[in-house]
Amino acid sequence: MQSFYDMVVNPVDVSFWAMIVRMTAATVCGGIIGLDRELRGKPAGLRTLMLVSLASSIFMIITFKLMQLSAEVYENVQPDPIRVIEAVITGIAFLGAGAIIQSRGNVRHMTTGATIWLAGSAGVACGAGYLVIAALTTLFGYVIVAVFGTLEGAFHERYGDGEKDGKSSADRKAKR
């Protein structure tokens, strides 16, 4: 059995244990990114982002499995994993666009769409075996949605420019 280090360092390793590690890492990354969204009651929370990240990793794992199969069966075939990444990105962008709502000139849920895209990228990185990139993506993403989200909310509460939720400061004050 290969060491954990070998599974992480060798991106084309698609042994059973490497797949388990990558799928688990993708699920955890999506969960971390989705946790803040879930706690704030936003669309595309914990389960959604876990599923997006896991599915993305599975597409990459399948790509590497197909590359191995092609190398074993066909001598002159050169598979192109970039095409799979492009297809995954397109599918995730479709989900993200569906989460963005435009109503009476106000665009809402842009951050939700962006977190779907981010979770997908973490999943692709996990599936490709780049767990350090996935971990850094998750860390940065969580800081952006949790820490900066809190700062952004405090900013809008203090200055009441109405940009964040489409409401004016007068609307927010009337609600209090």
Side-chain angles (χ1 to χ4, degrees):
M1 190 165 108
Q2 285 184 304
S3 72
F4 179 77
Y5 178 79
D6 288 337
M7 285 187 275
V8 173
V9 171
N10 182 1
V12 293
D13 174 21
V14 284
S15 66
F16 175 77
W17 292 110
M19 288 188 290
I20 296 295
V21 167
R22 292 174 188 187
M23 291 168 67
T24 301
T27 303
V28 169
C29 287
I32 290 169
I33 295 167
L35 182 62
D36 177 72
R37 308 300 294 163
E38 189 72 30
L39 293 173
R40 293 175 192 259
K42 301 291 185 176
L46 184 67
R47 293 181 305 148
T48 302
L49 296 181
M50 290 172 80
L51 289 169
V52 166
S53 188
L54 175 61
S56 299
S57 74
I58 291 168
F59 285 123
M60 288 309 300
I61 291 168
I62 291 169
T63 298
F64 286 123
K65 286 295 244 186
L66 289 172
M67 286 174 60
Q68 274 186 345
L69 179 65
S70 295
E72 293 169 7
V73 176
Y74 305 105
E75 202 171 293
N76 296 328
V77 172
Q78 294 184 351
D80 186 5
I82 299 302
R83 288 183 180 192
V84 174
I85 294 172
E86 290 171 346
V88 170
I89 290 169
T90 301
I92 294 167
F94 179 76
L95 286 174
I100 298 169
I101 299 170
Q102 197 256 343
S103 171
R104 296 185 190 164
N106 293 321
V107 177
R108 303 189 59 180
H109 306 303
M110 289 289 289
T111 303
T112 298
T115 56
I116 291 171
W117 205 35
L118 181 72
S121 71
V124 167
C126 287
Y130 297 110
L131 302 185
V132 173
I133 293 171
L136 289 171
T137 299
T138 302
L139 174 66
F140 292 164
Y142 185 79
V143 167
I144 290 166
V145 296
V147 176
F148 285 96
T150 301
L151 292 173
E152 183 181 37
F155 176 84
H156 288 289
E157 188 66 31
R158 179 168 183 176
Y159 297 106
D161 63 356
E163 291 294 318
K164 181 165 175 59
D165 58 8
K167 297 178 183 172
S168 69
S169 64
D171 292 338
R172 277 198 276 294
K173 287 178 184 172
K175 189 175 180 181
R176 288 187 215 159

